[in-house]
Amino acid sequence: MSDPLSLISAAFDSRAERYDDSAMHRAVATATAEFADLTDVHVILDVATGTGLVLRAIAPRAVDADLIGVDISAGMLEVARGHLPGATWLRASAADIPVESASVDLLTCVTALHIIPDVPTAAAEWRRILRPGGRLVTATFQKTDTSGHGAPEQPSAQRPYARDHAPYSGAANLSATFDRYGFTLRRHREWSDAIDELLIAELVVPTP
């Protein structure tokens, strides 16, 4: 595992036992699960799954689907496995997922795009594993860095990994970013808990 991924993994290992205490994380997972279109969906893969909140929220609507959660944090996956033992949990990076090509109908990535070190490579991997016409559902924070200029936030002692919200902040930015990666924005909605504002969006892989 590369050094940035090791730092992210260690940081989230330390948060695993208390991650579900966040009402915001639970609510966003529920909102994303409700937003997802499960028509003709048989395999669902959640990238940066953490404690599996999204798959746990979507499971009651996807009783016949195969559920796969991918994360680089072993601690997070341990918590996820305890809550949803019937799913498949894989320790892997967002850019190197050990599943077959064109084998996934719906891929979700919730509150994680801003910390994935190499989103272009990850997006190419997601296109590889999604079937033609497959769907990507994201939930992204609608904010720039603390200076207000939209530049990536560099690692700090409190947070040892970089963050970059700007490419995914707002439907126009998200659409332009993922258009370059071969996805088309189909629909979106705004979500807020009066503290955080997020964009939940569905992007599709065009059919040949």
Side-chain angles (χ1 to χ4, degrees):
M1 196 175 287
S2 65
D3 188 60
L5 292 179
S6 296
L7 292 172
I8 295 170
S9 177
F12 281 89
D13 280 347
S14 70
R15 296 174 58 189
E17 292 300 325
R18 63 182 187 279
Y19 190 82
D20 289 0
D21 294 343
S22 167
M24 183 274 287
H25 286 136
R26 298 194 308 271
V28 171
T30 298
T32 303
E34 292 172 347
F35 176 87
D37 179 3
L38 301 187
T39 305
D40 295 326
V41 167
H42 307 288
V43 180
I44 303 169
L45 188 147
D46 186 34
V47 173
T49 192
T51 61
L53 283 171
V54 173
L55 292 183
R56 287 151 57 186
I58 213 168
R61 295 180 53 215
V63 292
D64 295 323
D66 292 329
L67 305 179
I68 305 169
V70 174
D71 205 280
I72 58 170
S73 165
M76 289 287 209
L77 290 173
E78 183 177 358
V79 175
R81 191 174 293 110
H83 284 283
L84 198 61
T88 298
W89 304 102
L90 303 173
R91 188 168 188 239
S93 78
D96 187 11
I97 301 172
V99 301
E100 294 182 3
S101 298
S103 64
V104 173
D105 302 299
L106 171 66
L107 188 150
T108 55
C109 183
V110 173
T111 63
L113 277 168
H114 61 290
I115 64 171
I116 293 175
D118 187 354
V119 173
T121 299
E125 178 72 341
W126 302 349
R127 284 206 61 184
R128 178 188 71 80
I129 66 176
L130 280 167
R131 64 169 174 80
R135 299 186 283 275
L136 165 64
V137 171
T138 64
T140 55
F141 290 104
Q142 301 305 282
K143 59 185 177 183
T144 57
D145 71 326
T146 53
S147 70
H149 299 300
E153 297 176 61
Q154 297 306 308
S156 65
Q158 293 75 31
R159 176 186 40 78
Y161 50 85
R163 299 192 298 193
D164 189 4
H165 291 286
Y168 325 108
S169 186
N173 286 346
L174 183 74
S175 179
T177 296
F178 273 89
D179 182 68
R180 294 194 296 271
Y181 304 150
F183 290 85
T184 300
L185 178 64
R186 174 179 287 171
R187 61 191 179 98
H188 62 87
R189 61 156 295 197
E190 296 178 352
W191 180 94
S192 175
D193 62 357
I195 299 174
D196 289 295
E197 296 181 357
L198 286 89
L199 181 78
I200 302 175
E202 178 188 77
L203 304 109
V204 297
V205 177
T207 55

